[in-house]
Amino acid sequence: MKKEAADQNVTVLMGYNKNVCKYVTKTRDFAATVDDGHVTFVSNNTYAPTAESLGECFERNAEGMLKNMAIHELALLVSFYDVSVDNIESVTADKDFSSMQTLAGPSGKEWTDFDKIKFTIKTKTGKAVSVQANRCGGDTSYATVSNAAGEELFRHSMPDEEDLANVKVLEAKYPGAMPYFFSQDPDYTTVKERVSAFCATGEEAKGIATIDIACETLRVAEYLVPILQSQLK
């Protein structure tokens, strides 16, 4: 698809909604005001910390955490932090936080995946950024900025207080849906509005990932998995 789009000079835009999330924008804006500020993007899900719950999760999301839950954070790194397979200088897993398990899914087949992972990427162009993802971490995602001493200077969460009222309305309207749909609802709307405006008027779809970013994000995910697995063994 990427090649066909390039051959036909067609722009393909992707639905990586965290590229336009309020908490991401506010964190990036704050980081720009701080010398040597280090950004960490944190993504959480609400699975129960049991073999049964995580085994079902591993099987249903068999592509693995980095190409599923954490793919949005990797898209942020590719979009805004110069991260690409060719530009990665080092990858360091936080072994104290991270966990990898082999669990049986509902079919009885075993799957190996991360139930939680944290790592820092440094690029050849001098940037550093961290990602943390936890299948059992709750329903709040956030980003932080810390200084060189590791002290947290800034944090913004999704949902924030402004979003919580909308979350409660959506929970009542769509019972049983995954909680992250409720907290990210305004961001999906922003993605759709910007893509629609681009299609209708040619206005720049600011912050929206292109198919080139999406393909590189998948390459980065595939590159990281064996490295992180090796570091956690």
Side-chain angles (χ1 to χ4, degrees), residues 22-62:
K22 177 169 51 177
Y23 82 98
V24 171
T25 300
K26 288 184 176 294
T27 300
R28 291 178 58 226
D29 288 347
F30 181 87
T33 70
V34 180
D35 290 335
D36 297 323
H38 184 87
V39 173
T40 300
F41 294 108
V42 179
S43 178
N44 290 313
N45 278 172
T46 56
Y47 293 94
T50 65
E52 180 181 10
S53 178
L54 288 170
E56 187 278 332
C57 171
F58 287 7
E59 182 166 288
R60 181 162 45 83
N61 303 294

